[in-house]
Amino acid sequence: MSAKKYADMTILERIRQRYPTMTGALRAFADLVLAEPVNVARMSSHAAAKTIGVSVATANRFARAIGFETYPTFRANLIQSFASAYEPVKRLEREISKASTSYEIVVSCLREDIANLEQTIAMFDEMTCRQAVELIIAANRIFVVGFDNGAALAQVLANGLLQLKDNVARVSNGDGGLGVVRHLSRFDASDLVIAIAFPRYIKDTISLAALAKSREIPVLAITDTHHSPLAALAQVSLYACSERHFASVSNAAALSLIESLLAAVSHRTPASVQRAETFTSCALPWIEVGRADAGQKQ
């Protein structure tokens, strides 16, 4: 492995790569870091070594074994690796400490979403929109990947696409990453993977997008910025601003972007009206139809 690729690896990835060659005390220290990385990040070399009954020299040898000159350098990098994950927590702590009414908080969040939508429009361009729609229309089969918050967004997108195209699937509750692999193992360049990930990015989504790319399956990403790990894997990326002071992410702009994308695909699908009529006629037994004069005074 090249020095650059090794430098780009996360600390936990470095440990897992070196782990088979470690023995005795070094392996015990590696086990501690893998099991409790956040606690180790808070400890000095003396405290970490004392926890498992090894020497400080072992802690220093461990740091060098995974590519760091000193233990403090290893620890600083370990702390930094959690910075982005814990930023939403710190942001929430700052917001909670402010004296605000519930009304002010709700209005502030709504204004944040308006700003997110405006920024999403600013990041959008006609060529990218056209490419995304073309990918969806041309695809033989589509698999929508999303976990955590992305799972709800994936369901909305997959449900909408199912009314416009055959052979659309998404991650089901019992699937997980391996279930998606079963689908992708049958996909080829005529198909499409739509991957949805926003901070905090779920590793399974990134790994599955990378698998699709390695198999030359086109990937359409729906994410937040070009810094997203999905952006480098996708043939086309659509960006939705997702800032939220009271949480790690806001889904409002992403949901709006997905529904707008569905509208554009529907507009380009000749059979969309016929499909909608067929679905509605089948769905009527499950729909409560309100009276035309509902809400009017008697």
Side-chain angles (χ1 to χ4, degrees):
M1 178 179 293
S2 69
K4 183 180 185 305
K5 283 188 176 180
Y6 189 71
D8 289 340
M9 293 173 67
T10 66
I11 290 177
L12 300 186
E13 286 171 342
R14 292 189 190 195
I15 296 172
R16 293 186 182 106
Q17 186 195 63
R18 298 294 190 192
Y19 191 83
T21 64
M22 293 180 180
T23 57
L26 277 186
R27 180 167 286 197
F29 202 93
D31 288 338
L32 174 65
V33 179
L34 290 172
E36 302 179 49
V38 176
N39 287 336
V40 173
R42 294 169 176 162
M43 296 179 186
S44 66
S45 58
H46 290 78
K50 185 178 179 180
T51 299
I52 53 173
V54 299
S55 67
V56 174
T58 297
N60 290 322
R61 283 195 295 117
F62 170 81
R64 290 193 296 272
I66 60 170
F68 296 101
E69 291 185 4
T70 65
Y71 188 88
T73 305
F74 153 72
R75 186 181 171 206
N77 277 268
L78 187 60
I79 292 170
Q80 184 59 38
S81 70
F82 294 113
S84 60
Y86 277 92
E87 177 53 31
V89 179
K90 294 178 180 178
R91 210 163 53 225
L92 177 60
E93 185 178 29
R94 291 193 296 268
E95 293 299 322
I96 290 294
S97 67
K98 295 178 181 178
S100 301
T101 67
S102 296
Y103 171 79
E104 288 170 336
I105 291 169
V106 171
V107 171
S108 174
C109 289
L110 290 171
R111 285 176 176 156
E112 267 189 312
D113 285 331
I114 292 171
N116 282 339
L117 283 167
E118 289 175 343
Q119 183 61 30
T120 298
I121 293 171
M123 293 189 293
F124 206 56
D125 66 86
E126 185 175 354
M127 184 177 73
T128 304
C129 176
R130 184 170 63 251
Q131 290 173 335
V133 172
E134 291 291 348
L135 278 176
I136 292 172
I137 290 174
N140 180 32
R141 294 169 293 190
I142 296 176
F143 198 96
V144 187
V145 180
F147 296 92
D148 195 44
N149 279 22
L153 296 170
Q155 181 173 0
V156 172
L157 180 54
N159 286 349
L161 289 175
L162 273 170
Q163 295 189 49
L164 302 169
K165 293 180 67 72
D166 300 324
N167 300 318
V168 177
R170 65 175 179 85
V171 183
S172 64
N173 289 338
D175 271 350
L178 187 59
V180 180
V181 172
R182 291 191 182 97
H183 287 272
L184 298 192
S185 65
R186 301 191 297 271
F187 273 37
D188 57 34
S190 68
D191 303 310
L192 175 66
V193 169
I194 304 177
I196 303 173
F198 289 84
R200 308 159 183 173
Y201 309 106
I202 303 301
K203 286 185 178 179
D204 278 4
T205 307
I206 311 307
S207 298
L208 291 165
L211 172 64
K213 182 180 181 181
S214 72
R215 293 179 54 80
E216 298 184 349
I217 303 166
V219 177
L220 169 60
I222 299 177
T223 188
D224 59 327
T225 71
H226 65 282
H227 296 296
S228 163
L230 270 186
L233 301 170
Q235 188 170 328
V236 177
S237 295
L238 299 177
Y239 301 122
C241 191
S242 60
E243 294 293 326
R244 171 67 85 227
H245 282 90
F246 275 87
S248 61
V249 64
S250 168
N251 295 313
L255 178 59
S256 183
L257 177 61
I258 284 169
E259 292 183 332
S260 301
L261 178 63
L262 286 169
V265 175
S266 177
H267 180 260
R268 289 284 309 280
T269 304
S272 59
V273 174
Q274 182 181 348
R275 281 175 171 267
E277 288 178 349
T278 302
F279 172 76
T280 301
S281 64
C282 292
L284 277 177
W286 284 270
I287 297 174
E288 183 68 29
V289 180
R291 292 174 52 188
D293 61 347
Q296 294 182 0
K297 292 183 179 180
Q298 299 296 317

